[in-house]
Amino acid sequence: MEKAPDAFEEKTVASDNARSEQDTGAARRTVFCANVFDVMVRLYGEPGIASLCLEAQTTYAVDVPSLLFFALADSDGHGADDGEMRRLLERAGEWRSLFVLPLRHLRLTLRQGRRNTAEIEFYEKIKAAELEAERLQVRRLADDFLPLEGPSGLAARYLETISVPESEAGTLVGQLRDAAKAVSRGFPHHAH
């Protein structure tokens, strides 16, 4: 009978370790969600990434903020199941269609017709508003993403849902993965 307390203690230690791993995962995800937009801006600024994203946006109607969000989530080891991912995209998509896309349309229309200083200043304000709308879209994604768990590979799964051909999706995800490694150190991690 001497062994019983030891076995109980081992189980308790094992469940405490599992709980602290879960807490660490939740803490890492909280840090990810709090910092994702700033890191995303750095990722977009990496060599070749902006043109890659704009080409994907033009050719396949890729939502660049969602794609970059998912690429960074993959890089930082976070995931979500397919149903949750669809809901994330629906909520972000609502915001995008109501605010981001109309502002982008205005900005692109204005870009063609700038005539004087006042119009150039107005263009810059619209451009800033479009960026702010994208930041708020990412904030929405992050808030919805925070409690989720599941498999990673989100960027590839997102591109699949919008029918980007597999070979091009693979290239895009690979280039984003490489660039994300350079910037994902932007997520401050607590020492274990």
Side-chain angles (χ1 to χ4, degrees):
M1 292 307 283
E2 289 293 297
K3 285 282 167 224
D6 290 348
F8 177 74
E9 272 175 43
E10 278 174 30
K11 267 188 193 152
T12 306
V13 167
S15 81
D16 284 351
N17 284 350
R19 195 173 304 118
S20 79
E21 263 178 45
Q22 219 171 9
D23 291 348
T24 303
R28 285 188 59 242
R29 201 170 185 107
T30 300
V31 169
F32 169 81
C33 288
N35 293 283
V36 67
F37 187 76
D38 294 336
V39 179
M40 187 184 287
V41 169
R42 288 207 295 279
L43 175 58
Y44 192 75
E46 284 291 293
I49 295 300
S51 57
L52 193 71
C53 288
L54 291 173
E55 190 179 315
Q57 180 180 282
T58 306
T59 311
Y60 301 109
V62 166
D63 175 26
V64 173
S66 292
L67 176 62
L68 296 179
F69 182 94
F70 291 140
L72 287 171
D74 290 340
S75 163
D76 206 46
H78 306 288
D81 72 33
D82 288 346
E84 290 166 339
M85 195 176 145
R86 254 191 317 279
R87 282 189 292 281
L88 286 174
L89 286 166
E90 278 167 22
R91 281 198 23 92
E94 272 171 30
W95 181 268
R96 180 177 184 242
S97 59
L98 284 171
F99 302 105
V100 177
L101 295 179
L103 285 165
R104 180 173 303 147
H105 177 73
L106 266 178
R107 177 179 58 82
L108 294 173
T109 306
L110 269 168
R111 190 168 68 185
Q112 262 101 68
R114 290 175 302 176
R115 301 263 184 281
N116 54 44
T117 309
E119 288 178 9
I120 291 167
E121 285 171 5
F122 184 57
Y123 169 83
E124 292 301 327
K125 286 177 184 165
I126 298 293
K127 188 175 173 184
E130 180 188 354
L131 182 64
E132 180 63 8
E134 286 185 331
R135 190 185 69 75
L136 292 169
Q137 176 186 338
V138 171
R139 175 82 270 136
R140 214 173 233 235
L141 269 171
D143 289 347
D144 291 348
F145 189 68
L146 189 58
L148 307 181
E149 288 177 3
S152 65
L154 294 168
R157 283 157 51 207
Y158 164 60
L159 293 172
E160 198 178 302
T161 65
I162 59 167
S163 305
V164 174
E166 208 172 307
S167 61
E168 293 186 37
T171 303
L172 190 53
V173 169
Q175 288 176 297
L176 286 171
R177 186 187 315 115
D178 294 346
K181 280 182 194 148
V183 298
S184 62
R185 287 185 282 282
F187 296 113
H189 288 125
H190 310 290
H192 298 318

